[in-house]
Amino acid sequence: MIKPSPMIQCHAESYMQTLPSQISQLNDIVAKHWGIHELRPLQQPAMCSVLEGRDSLVVMPTGGGKSLCFQAPAVLRGDTTVVISPLISLMKDQVDGLIASGIAAIALNSSQTPEERFRHEKDILNGKIRLLFVSPERLVQTDMQDLLRKIDVRTFAIDEAHCISHWGHDFRPEYRQMRMLKTMFPKASVHAYTATATEQVRTDIIQQLGLKDPEILVGNFDRANLSYRIISRRGGVLKQVQSVIDRHKKEGGIIYCIRRAEVDELTKDLKAAGIKAMAYHAGLTAQERSKTQEAFSEEHCDVVVATVAFGMGIDRSNVRYVLHTAMPKSLEAYQQETGRAGRDGLEAECVLLHSGADVFTWKAIMQKAAADQNQGQYQDNDMSYLETAYEHLHLMDRYCRGAACRHSLLVQHFGQTYDKDNCGACDICLGETVEVEGALVIAQKILSCVARLKEKYGIGYVAAVLRGENSQEIRDRGGHSLSTYGLLKEYHVNDLRDWMYQLISQEVLVQENVEYGYGRTVPILKLNGGSWNVMRGERTNIRLLKPAERKKGERAKLSKAETGSWDGVDRDLFESMRELRRQLADERRVPPYIIFPDSTLRELARIRPSSLERMRMVSGIGDSKLRDLGQTFLDIVLSHCKETGLSLDA
Ligand code: ADP
Ligand code: ZN
């Protein structure tokens, strides 16, 4: 379905020809340790570039399977691969996961005791370690570099590589120091991995890291297992949030808010409603944050309400929904945040509650941040931070207001084309919004009202006049005596607000911040040339959308992505195994997905294997897990099937 853009180079075939024996060894390793029986399209060439010692840049969406690209070759190579990763918690999860799969891995960080460090260093020097995780800050310290030189490191893997680029949405100054890798370790190859990179960011990563003739592999950006919905936010968000949570009882979800205060309030409301919710934002203590993170990861908490501060460190693979209570600040951020849903490849839902006010909220935050940071991280380049940030913001806003397939627009943003006409997994393609009949006339009425009000008022007042509201404010300001008073009284105020924002996005209406005294600004509606073209009937291609009406009691249509992967799965067995997994995870103090991902549990609950031999064929069960956990899970399958009379080996 997805064609890579013509800019993408791919040498996959030549590599497959040069390393046939190694490729079969790779396949064996992947099956033995991870229980994975088929590589995804770009994983093999990505692994080949590691084996060949050729620098590479691998761009795949979150959940695309980037880690395997450097982990499997590390096992085959038999030396030590150094992985640079931005967050300690993320490293810890990866290390735990590798150890559970029977692979020697450790993380070095500054919180370790001298004894621990000594033991780790001994293992490293003895060549026992296949994967060594290091933070960028730690990497630049001389003792670390001495250590790495002693073992003659030949492979570096850089996770979340977009953090090195100031064009990206998540620039981290400490990543800049990795520029020295290619000069300090001239014999080593460097491999960069990221989920979010537009053409510009890609070029920048290559340049910043000084990659030599890198293999550039760009994966399929479409996340077919995610369904996207963008819904207009109506007043207090609680009701809209609860209706999403209701669809996902007992499942894991993340709710993103822009501000900390919103996080706290929503968490309180959800708890009061009996939902296992916890808060996460930078205003909490480190202890409180790690408590939330652990509870979520261990599945003792279902919902995390968070600011964007929450994310990089979480690795729970069975997040079934991501809900934004307001627009994120860029499409990159959106892709990354929604990307935390459904990492196990199973269906998940992404809902964004959008309002035209979101752009203004972000601009205010960004202006303040820019003022605070004037002396800070953005000084080393002459690009205006705010200009780039606004550009990202406007693209995001346009995306939200757009009336085209959400999957299609997202992959296009990442430089790919999408040729399905209907994705079957977004609000637009599922017919949840409809075009309003007579949009042109409605637009003309709205614009005339703005003109009659002499371009002096904001959206709220214009809507009130059009609806013919009989309030003191309207009478005081003379709104009731205008010819446009009550012209659109048959419509709901929320629809009128949405349509004004839609007219703004079609560039026939303008919202401008006007000073109101005391440094306060208020967004006021203004007209432009396009407005007059519409009013005079010279421009007629105006589209307005509204939510499709559902009959009372009728449920939302579900996307294929939402219904598909439960086929044949015995839900009770799945839930029992989930409980068993949680107990084992608690005992072993690892996150449940380290035991088995949801996809493995579902397949077990679908196939219901009668023996360990049959179990070995289930995806996600490698040798060491079969030995370690096989019998425990087999017992539960057997006893469940005996009790219920369900067939085995379906
Ligand atoms: P990323 O780092 O790209 O976000 P991960 O490396 O964490 O993604 O992989 C996401 C999930 O997909 C993991 O559970 C991993 O085991 C699984 N996975 C990776 N490659 C494959 C594959 N070829 N087949 C099945 N599952 C895979
Ligand atoms: Zn669609």
Side-chain angles (χ1 to χ4, degrees), residues 228-230 403-406 421-435 545-550 554-559:
Y228 299 106
R229 288 195 170 84
I230 296 174
C405 171
R406 314 285 185 196
D421 287 337
N422 187 313
C423 74
C426 80
D427 53 345
I428 305 288
C429 294
L430 290 167
E432 292 172 10
T433 51
V434 290
E435 270 196 56
L545 298 175
K546 63 171 191 174
E549 294 205 3
R550 240 186 279 149
E554 186 187 352
R555 284 194 47 130
K557 233 201 300 183
L558 291 176
S559 67

PDB file of all heavy atoms in Angstrom, residues 228-230 403-406 421-435 545-550 554-559:
ATOM      1  N   TYR A 228      -7.673   6.595  14.253  1.00  0.00           N
ATOM      2  CA  TYR A 228      -7.549   7.999  14.659  1.00  0.00           C
ATOM      3  C   TYR A 228      -8.909   8.683  14.638  1.00  0.00           C
ATOM      4  O   TYR A 228      -9.673   8.533  13.676  1.00  0.00           O
ATOM      5  CB  TYR A 228      -6.635   8.760  13.693  1.00  0.00           C
ATOM      6  CG  TYR A 228      -5.227   8.232  13.625  1.00  0.00           C
ATOM      7  CD1 TYR A 228      -4.796   7.501  12.522  1.00  0.00           C
ATOM      8  CD2 TYR A 228      -4.315   8.481  14.651  1.00  0.00           C
ATOM      9  CE1 TYR A 228      -3.496   7.019  12.444  1.00  0.00           C
ATOM     10  CE2 TYR A 228      -3.014   8.008  14.579  1.00  0.00           C
ATOM     11  CZ  TYR A 228      -2.609   7.285  13.472  1.00  0.00           C
ATOM     12  OH  TYR A 228      -1.330   6.813  13.392  1.00  0.00           O
ATOM     13  N   ARG A 229      -9.188   9.416  15.700  1.00  0.00           N
ATOM     14  CA  ARG A 229     -10.402  10.232  15.714  1.00  0.00           C
ATOM     15  C   ARG A 229     -10.045  11.623  16.211  1.00  0.00           C
ATOM     16  O   ARG A 229      -9.358  11.761  17.227  1.00  0.00           O
ATOM     17  CB  ARG A 229     -11.435   9.652  16.674  1.00  0.00           C
ATOM     18  CG  ARG A 229     -12.067   8.379  16.188  1.00  0.00           C
ATOM     19  CD  ARG A 229     -13.324   8.014  16.962  1.00  0.00           C
ATOM     20  NE  ARG A 229     -13.971   6.918  16.267  1.00  0.00           N
ATOM     21  CZ  ARG A 229     -13.626   5.634  16.440  1.00  0.00           C
ATOM     22  NH1 ARG A 229     -12.678   5.309  17.289  1.00  0.00           N
ATOM     23  NH2 ARG A 229     -14.228   4.701  15.751  1.00  0.00           N
ATOM     24  N   ILE A 230     -10.510  12.630  15.510  1.00  0.00           N
ATOM     25  CA  ILE A 230     -10.322  13.997  15.987  1.00  0.00           C
ATOM     26  C   ILE A 230     -11.704  14.595  16.182  1.00  0.00           C
ATOM     27  O   ILE A 230     -12.503  14.668  15.248  1.00  0.00           O
ATOM     28  CB  ILE A 230      -9.458  14.806  15.014  1.00  0.00           C
ATOM     29  CG1 ILE A 230      -8.069  14.164  14.984  1.00  0.00           C
ATOM     30  CG2 ILE A 230      -9.371  16.260  15.471  1.00  0.00           C
ATOM     31  CD1 ILE A 230      -7.127  14.723  13.994  1.00  0.00           C
ATOM     32  N   ALA A 403     -10.366  17.579   6.341  1.00  0.00           N
ATOM     33  CA  ALA A 403     -11.490  16.671   6.151  1.00  0.00           C
ATOM     34  C   ALA A 403     -11.046  15.460   5.345  1.00  0.00           C
ATOM     35  O   ALA A 403     -11.839  14.792   4.719  1.00  0.00           O
ATOM     36  CB  ALA A 403     -12.629  17.398   5.473  1.00  0.00           C
ATOM     37  N   ALA A 404      -9.738  15.178   5.343  1.00  0.00           N
ATOM     38  CA  ALA A 404      -9.237  14.027   4.589  1.00  0.00           C
ATOM     39  C   ALA A 404      -8.761  12.950   5.562  1.00  0.00           C
ATOM     40  O   ALA A 404      -8.523  13.223   6.739  1.00  0.00           O
ATOM     41  CB  ALA A 404      -8.091  14.464   3.692  1.00  0.00           C
ATOM     42  N   CYS A 405      -8.610  11.749   5.027  1.00  0.00           N
ATOM     43  CA  CYS A 405      -8.217  10.582   5.830  1.00  0.00           C
ATOM     44  C   CYS A 405      -7.002  10.891   6.723  1.00  0.00           C
ATOM     45  O   CYS A 405      -5.979  11.368   6.271  1.00  0.00           O
ATOM     46  CB  CYS A 405      -7.888   9.424   4.890  1.00  0.00           C
ATOM     47  SG  CYS A 405      -7.149   8.028   5.732  1.00  0.00           S
ATOM     48  N   ARG A 406      -7.137  10.585   7.998  1.00  0.00           N
ATOM     49  CA  ARG A 406      -6.065  10.903   8.964  1.00  0.00           C
ATOM     50  C   ARG A 406      -4.818  10.058   8.712  1.00  0.00           C
ATOM     51  O   ARG A 406      -3.700  10.546   8.879  1.00  0.00           O
ATOM     52  CB  ARG A 406      -6.540  10.640  10.392  1.00  0.00           C
ATOM     53  CG  ARG A 406      -7.913  11.169  10.731  1.00  0.00           C
ATOM     54  CD  ARG A 406      -7.918  12.666  10.913  1.00  0.00           C
ATOM     55  NE  ARG A 406      -9.229  13.124  11.353  1.00  0.00           N
ATOM     56  CZ  ARG A 406      -9.625  14.384  11.303  1.00  0.00           C
ATOM     57  NH1 ARG A 406      -8.816  15.319  10.831  1.00  0.00           N
ATOM     58  NH2 ARG A 406     -10.821  14.731  11.718  1.00  0.00           N
ATOM     59  N   ASP A 421      -8.086   4.325  -0.699  1.00  0.00           N
ATOM     60  CA  ASP A 421      -9.048   5.424  -0.702  1.00  0.00           C
ATOM     61  C   ASP A 421      -9.702   5.582   0.663  1.00  0.00           C
ATOM     62  O   ASP A 421     -10.082   6.672   1.059  1.00  0.00           O
ATOM     63  CB  ASP A 421     -10.152   5.164  -1.737  1.00  0.00           C
ATOM     64  CG  ASP A 421      -9.619   5.368  -3.141  1.00  0.00           C
ATOM     65  OD1 ASP A 421      -8.615   6.104  -3.265  1.00  0.00           O
ATOM     66  OD2 ASP A 421     -10.182   4.777  -4.079  1.00  0.00           O
ATOM     67  N   ASN A 422      -9.869   4.457   1.311  1.00  0.00           N
ATOM     68  CA  ASN A 422     -10.548   4.498   2.598  1.00  0.00           C
ATOM     69  C   ASN A 422      -9.778   3.623   3.571  1.00  0.00           C
ATOM     70  O   ASN A 422      -9.630   2.430   3.357  1.00  0.00           O
ATOM     71  CB  ASN A 422     -11.983   3.968   2.413  1.00  0.00           C
ATOM     72  CG  ASN A 422     -12.801   4.142   3.673  1.00  0.00           C
ATOM     73  OD1 ASN A 422     -12.348   3.816   4.773  1.00  0.00           O
ATOM     74  ND2 ASN A 422     -14.009   4.659   3.523  1.00  0.00           N
ATOM     75  N   CYS A 423      -9.264   4.236   4.641  1.00  0.00           N
ATOM     76  CA  CYS A 423      -8.429   3.466   5.567  1.00  0.00           C
ATOM     77  C   CYS A 423      -9.281   2.578   6.456  1.00  0.00           C
ATOM     78  O   CYS A 423      -8.785   1.619   7.035  1.00  0.00           O
ATOM     79  CB  CYS A 423      -7.589   4.410   6.427  1.00  0.00           C
ATOM     80  SG  CYS A 423      -8.537   5.265   7.696  1.00  0.00           S
ATOM     81  N   GLY A 424     -10.553   2.934   6.595  1.00  0.00           N
ATOM     82  CA  GLY A 424     -11.432   2.156   7.467  1.00  0.00           C
ATOM     83  C   GLY A 424     -11.076   2.286   8.937  1.00  0.00           C
ATOM     84  O   GLY A 424     -11.578   1.534   9.766  1.00  0.00           O
ATOM     85  N   ALA A 425     -10.206   3.220   9.278  1.00  0.00           N
ATOM     86  CA  ALA A 425      -9.788   3.341  10.674  1.00  0.00           C
ATOM     87  C   ALA A 425      -9.543   4.792  11.076  1.00  0.00           C
ATOM     88  O   ALA A 425      -8.616   5.089  11.817  1.00  0.00           O
ATOM     89  CB  ALA A 425      -8.546   2.498  10.927  1.00  0.00           C
ATOM     90  N   CYS A 426     -10.366   5.704  10.543  1.00  0.00           N
ATOM     91  CA  CYS A 426     -10.305   7.077  11.051  1.00  0.00           C
ATOM     92  C   CYS A 426     -11.714   7.667  11.002  1.00  0.00           C
ATOM     93  O   CYS A 426     -12.582   7.149  10.298  1.00  0.00           O
ATOM     94  CB  CYS A 426      -9.303   7.930  10.277  1.00  0.00           C
ATOM     95  SG  CYS A 426      -9.873   8.570   8.698  1.00  0.00           S
ATOM     96  N   ASP A 427     -11.920   8.714  11.766  1.00  0.00           N
ATOM     97  CA  ASP A 427     -13.264   9.290  11.847  1.00  0.00           C
ATOM     98  C   ASP A 427     -13.799   9.702  10.475  1.00  0.00           C
ATOM     99  O   ASP A 427     -14.983   9.525  10.182  1.00  0.00           O
ATOM    100  CB  ASP A 427     -13.290  10.473  12.824  1.00  0.00           C
ATOM    101  CG  ASP A 427     -12.227  11.517  12.527  1.00  0.00           C
ATOM    102  OD1 ASP A 427     -11.286  11.218  11.761  1.00  0.00           O
ATOM    103  OD2 ASP A 427     -12.328  12.639  13.055  1.00  0.00           O
ATOM    104  N   ILE A 428     -12.914  10.201   9.616  1.00  0.00           N
ATOM    105  CA  ILE A 428     -13.363  10.645   8.299  1.00  0.00           C
ATOM    106  C   ILE A 428     -13.824   9.440   7.461  1.00  0.00           C
ATOM    107  O   ILE A 428     -14.934   9.414   6.944  1.00  0.00           O
ATOM    108  CB  ILE A 428     -12.228  11.387   7.551  1.00  0.00           C
ATOM    109  CG1 ILE A 428     -11.679  12.543   8.391  1.00  0.00           C
ATOM    110  CG2 ILE A 428     -12.690  11.850   6.180  1.00  0.00           C
ATOM    111  CD1 ILE A 428     -12.549  13.741   8.536  1.00  0.00           C
ATOM    112  N   CYS A 429     -12.947   8.418   7.376  1.00  0.00           N
ATOM    113  CA  CYS A 429     -13.288   7.262   6.540  1.00  0.00           C
ATOM    114  C   CYS A 429     -14.434   6.441   7.123  1.00  0.00           C
ATOM    115  O   CYS A 429     -15.154   5.765   6.396  1.00  0.00           O
ATOM    116  CB  CYS A 429     -12.062   6.389   6.326  1.00  0.00           C
ATOM    117  SG  CYS A 429     -10.804   7.217   5.357  1.00  0.00           S
ATOM    118  N   LEU A 430     -14.608   6.494   8.432  1.00  0.00           N
ATOM    119  CA  LEU A 430     -15.719   5.755   9.037  1.00  0.00           C
ATOM    120  C   LEU A 430     -17.025   6.550   8.977  1.00  0.00           C
ATOM    121  O   LEU A 430     -18.049   6.132   9.500  1.00  0.00           O
ATOM    122  CB  LEU A 430     -15.403   5.407  10.496  1.00  0.00           C
ATOM    123  CG  LEU A 430     -14.320   4.351  10.724  1.00  0.00           C
ATOM    124  CD1 LEU A 430     -13.887   4.329  12.179  1.00  0.00           C
ATOM    125  CD2 LEU A 430     -14.812   2.969  10.295  1.00  0.00           C
ATOM    126  N   GLY A 431     -16.954   7.723   8.354  1.00  0.00           N
ATOM    127  CA  GLY A 431     -18.171   8.516   8.177  1.00  0.00           C
ATOM    128  C   GLY A 431     -18.702   9.116   9.465  1.00  0.00           C
ATOM    129  O   GLY A 431     -19.898   9.300   9.638  1.00  0.00           O
ATOM    130  N   GLU A 432     -17.778   9.427  10.392  1.00  0.00           N
ATOM    131  CA  GLU A 432     -18.249  10.003  11.653  1.00  0.00           C
ATOM    132  C   GLU A 432     -18.444  11.512  11.570  1.00  0.00           C
ATOM    133  O   GLU A 432     -18.993  12.134  12.470  1.00  0.00           O
ATOM    134  CB  GLU A 432     -17.278   9.642  12.776  1.00  0.00           C
ATOM    135  CG  GLU A 432     -17.327   8.152  13.064  1.00  0.00           C
ATOM    136  CD  GLU A 432     -16.263   7.673  14.033  1.00  0.00           C
ATOM    137  OE1 GLU A 432     -15.580   8.513  14.636  1.00  0.00           O
ATOM    138  OE2 GLU A 432     -16.127   6.453  14.170  1.00  0.00           O
ATOM    139  N   THR A 433     -17.925  12.106  10.496  1.00  0.00           N
ATOM    140  CA  THR A 433     -18.244  13.513  10.270  1.00  0.00           C
ATOM    141  C   THR A 433     -18.935  13.592   8.916  1.00  0.00           C
ATOM    142  O   THR A 433     -18.671  12.779   8.032  1.00  0.00           O
ATOM    143  CB  THR A 433     -16.983  14.395  10.197  1.00  0.00           C
ATOM    144  OG1 THR A 433     -16.094  13.810   9.264  1.00  0.00           O
ATOM    145  CG2 THR A 433     -16.306  14.517  11.534  1.00  0.00           C
ATOM    146  N   VAL A 434     -19.808  14.537   8.747  1.00  0.00           N
ATOM    147  CA  VAL A 434     -20.468  14.689   7.455  1.00  0.00           C
ATOM    148  C   VAL A 434     -20.356  16.136   7.005  1.00  0.00           C
ATOM    149  O   VAL A 434     -20.206  17.054   7.816  1.00  0.00           O
ATOM    150  CB  VAL A 434     -21.967  14.311   7.511  1.00  0.00           C
ATOM    151  CG1 VAL A 434     -22.119  12.823   7.695  1.00  0.00           C
ATOM    152  CG2 VAL A 434     -22.678  15.064   8.613  1.00  0.00           C
ATOM    153  N   GLU A 435     -20.443  16.330   5.707  1.00  0.00           N
ATOM    154  CA  GLU A 435     -20.420  17.693   5.191  1.00  0.00           C
ATOM    155  C   GLU A 435     -21.776  18.336   5.417  1.00  0.00           C
ATOM    156  O   GLU A 435     -22.819  17.723   5.224  1.00  0.00           O
ATOM    157  CB  GLU A 435     -20.094  17.658   3.692  1.00  0.00           C
ATOM    158  CG  GLU A 435     -18.620  17.734   3.461  1.00  0.00           C
ATOM    159  CD  GLU A 435     -18.266  18.084   2.030  1.00  0.00           C
ATOM    160  OE1 GLU A 435     -18.737  19.131   1.542  1.00  0.00           O
ATOM    161  OE2 GLU A 435     -17.538  17.289   1.425  1.00  0.00           O
ATOM    162  N   LEU A 545     -17.880  20.911   8.160  1.00  0.00           N
ATOM    163  CA  LEU A 545     -18.145  19.554   8.636  1.00  0.00           C
ATOM    164  C   LEU A 545     -18.820  19.583   9.994  1.00  0.00           C
ATOM    165  O   LEU A 545     -18.633  20.505  10.778  1.00  0.00           O
ATOM    166  CB  LEU A 545     -16.820  18.792   8.798  1.00  0.00           C
ATOM    167  CG  LEU A 545     -15.998  18.590   7.543  1.00  0.00           C
ATOM    168  CD1 LEU A 545     -14.670  17.938   7.900  1.00  0.00           C
ATOM    169  CD2 LEU A 545     -16.757  17.714   6.556  1.00  0.00           C
ATOM    170  N   LYS A 546     -19.601  18.564  10.240  1.00  0.00           N
ATOM    171  CA  LYS A 546     -20.089  18.392  11.609  1.00  0.00           C
ATOM    172  C   LYS A 546     -20.153  16.899  11.930  1.00  0.00           C
ATOM    173  O   LYS A 546     -20.145  16.060  11.022  1.00  0.00           O
ATOM    174  CB  LYS A 546     -21.444  19.057  11.786  1.00  0.00           C
ATOM    175  CG  LYS A 546     -22.535  18.463  10.932  1.00  0.00           C
ATOM    176  CD  LYS A 546     -23.865  19.061  11.363  1.00  0.00           C
ATOM    177  CE  LYS A 546     -24.997  18.289  10.727  1.00  0.00           C
ATOM    178  NZ  LYS A 546     -26.289  18.707  11.203  1.00  0.00           N
ATOM    179  N   PRO A 547     -20.204  16.573  13.224  1.00  0.00           N
ATOM    180  CA  PRO A 547     -20.257  15.162  13.584  1.00  0.00           C
ATOM    181  C   PRO A 547     -21.520  14.529  13.013  1.00  0.00           C
ATOM    182  O   PRO A 547     -22.580  15.145  13.041  1.00  0.00           O
ATOM    183  CB  PRO A 547     -20.322  15.179  15.115  1.00  0.00           C
ATOM    184  CG  PRO A 547     -19.951  16.550  15.537  1.00  0.00           C
ATOM    185  CD  PRO A 547     -20.231  17.460  14.397  1.00  0.00           C
ATOM    186  N   ALA A 548     -21.403  13.316  12.498  1.00  0.00           N
ATOM    187  CA  ALA A 548     -22.580  12.619  11.990  1.00  0.00           C
ATOM    188  C   ALA A 548     -23.492  12.306  13.166  1.00  0.00           C
ATOM    189  O   ALA A 548     -23.016  12.009  14.253  1.00  0.00           O
ATOM    190  CB  ALA A 548     -22.162  11.334  11.294  1.00  0.00           C
ATOM    191  N   GLU A 549     -24.804  12.397  12.923  1.00  0.00           N
ATOM    192  CA  GLU A 549     -25.713  12.136  14.037  1.00  0.00           C
ATOM    193  C   GLU A 549     -25.891  10.644  14.217  1.00  0.00           C
ATOM    194  O   GLU A 549     -26.017   9.903  13.260  1.00  0.00           O
ATOM    195  CB  GLU A 549     -27.059  12.789  13.763  1.00  0.00           C
ATOM    196  CG  GLU A 549     -26.891  14.274  13.750  1.00  0.00           C
ATOM    197  CD  GLU A 549     -28.154  15.024  14.079  1.00  0.00           C
ATOM    198  OE1 GLU A 549     -29.167  14.362  14.385  1.00  0.00           O
ATOM    199  OE2 GLU A 549     -28.104  16.255  14.023  1.00  0.00           O
ATOM    200  N   ARG A 550     -25.881  10.236  15.457  1.00  0.00           N
ATOM    201  CA  ARG A 550     -26.115   8.838  15.744  1.00  0.00           C
ATOM    202  C   ARG A 550     -27.453   8.719  16.444  1.00  0.00           C
ATOM    203  O   ARG A 550     -27.792   9.551  17.276  1.00  0.00           O
ATOM    204  CB  ARG A 550     -25.011   8.319  16.664  1.00  0.00           C
ATOM    205  CG  ARG A 550     -24.266   7.183  16.021  1.00  0.00           C
ATOM    206  CD  ARG A 550     -23.288   6.598  16.985  1.00  0.00           C
ATOM    207  NE  ARG A 550     -22.055   7.386  17.035  1.00  0.00           N
ATOM    208  CZ  ARG A 550     -21.311   7.488  18.132  1.00  0.00           C
ATOM    209  NH1 ARG A 550     -21.681   6.904  19.240  1.00  0.00           N
ATOM    210  NH2 ARG A 550     -20.213   8.181  18.119  1.00  0.00           N
ATOM    211  N   GLU A 554     -27.319   3.932  19.522  1.00  0.00           N
ATOM    212  CA  GLU A 554     -26.519   3.322  18.460  1.00  0.00           C
ATOM    213  C   GLU A 554     -25.042   3.471  18.820  1.00  0.00           C
ATOM    214  O   GLU A 554     -24.599   4.541  19.237  1.00  0.00           O
ATOM    215  CB  GLU A 554     -26.802   4.047  17.142  1.00  0.00           C
ATOM    216  CG  GLU A 554     -26.144   3.418  15.944  1.00  0.00           C
ATOM    217  CD  GLU A 554     -26.325   4.292  14.688  1.00  0.00           C
ATOM    218  OE1 GLU A 554     -27.073   5.275  14.751  1.00  0.00           O
ATOM    219  OE2 GLU A 554     -25.713   3.975  13.678  1.00  0.00           O
ATOM    220  N   ARG A 555     -24.287   2.409  18.640  1.00  0.00           N
ATOM    221  CA  ARG A 555     -22.870   2.479  18.987  1.00  0.00           C
ATOM    222  C   ARG A 555     -22.040   2.946  17.808  1.00  0.00           C
ATOM    223  O   ARG A 555     -22.437   2.776  16.667  1.00  0.00           O
ATOM    224  CB  ARG A 555     -22.367   1.104  19.430  1.00  0.00           C
ATOM    225  CG  ARG A 555     -22.804   0.729  20.826  1.00  0.00           C
ATOM    226  CD  ARG A 555     -21.997  -0.448  21.293  1.00  0.00           C
ATOM    227  NE  ARG A 555     -20.574  -0.220  21.023  1.00  0.00           N
ATOM    228  CZ  ARG A 555     -19.640  -0.381  21.919  1.00  0.00           C
ATOM    229  NH1 ARG A 555     -19.957  -0.733  23.129  1.00  0.00           N
ATOM    230  NH2 ARG A 555     -18.373  -0.201  21.608  1.00  0.00           N
ATOM    231  N   ALA A 556     -20.889   3.520  18.118  1.00  0.00           N
ATOM    232  CA  ALA A 556     -20.003   3.951  17.036  1.00  0.00           C
ATOM    233  C   ALA A 556     -19.598   2.738  16.212  1.00  0.00           C
ATOM    234  O   ALA A 556     -19.411   1.651  16.742  1.00  0.00           O
ATOM    235  CB  ALA A 556     -18.769   4.605  17.624  1.00  0.00           C
ATOM    236  N   LYS A 557     -19.497   2.949  14.911  1.00  0.00           N
ATOM    237  CA  LYS A 557     -19.000   1.885  14.043  1.00  0.00           C
ATOM    238  C   LYS A 557     -17.555   1.611  14.435  1.00  0.00           C
ATOM    239  O   LYS A 557     -16.808   2.538  14.711  1.00  0.00           O
ATOM    240  CB  LYS A 557     -19.028   2.387  12.598  1.00  0.00           C
ATOM    241  CG  LYS A 557     -19.770   1.460  11.673  1.00  0.00           C
ATOM    242  CD  LYS A 557     -19.421   1.608  10.215  1.00  0.00           C
ATOM    243  CE  LYS A 557     -19.656   2.952   9.581  1.00  0.00           C
ATOM    244  NZ  LYS A 557     -19.376   3.023   8.169  1.00  0.00           N
ATOM    245  N   LEU A 558     -17.177   0.366  14.481  1.00  0.00           N
ATOM    246  CA  LEU A 558     -15.797   0.088  14.837  1.00  0.00           C
ATOM    247  C   LEU A 558     -14.974  -0.136  13.583  1.00  0.00           C
ATOM    248  O   LEU A 558     -15.474  -0.650  12.587  1.00  0.00           O
ATOM    249  CB  LEU A 558     -15.721  -1.159  15.724  1.00  0.00           C
ATOM    250  CG  LEU A 558     -16.314  -0.990  17.126  1.00  0.00           C
ATOM    251  CD1 LEU A 558     -16.262  -2.301  17.876  1.00  0.00           C
ATOM    252  CD2 LEU A 558     -15.562   0.080  17.893  1.00  0.00           C
ATOM    253  N   SER A 559     -13.719   0.259  13.661  1.00  0.00           N
ATOM    254  CA  SER A 559     -12.858   0.043  12.512  1.00  0.00           C
ATOM    255  C   SER A 559     -12.400  -1.414  12.498  1.00  0.00           C
ATOM    256  O   SER A 559     -12.455  -2.099  13.515  1.00  0.00           O
ATOM    257  CB  SER A 559     -11.660   0.974  12.591  1.00  0.00           C
ATOM    258  OG  SER A 559     -10.855   0.610  13.674  1.00  0.00           O
TER     259      SER A 559
END
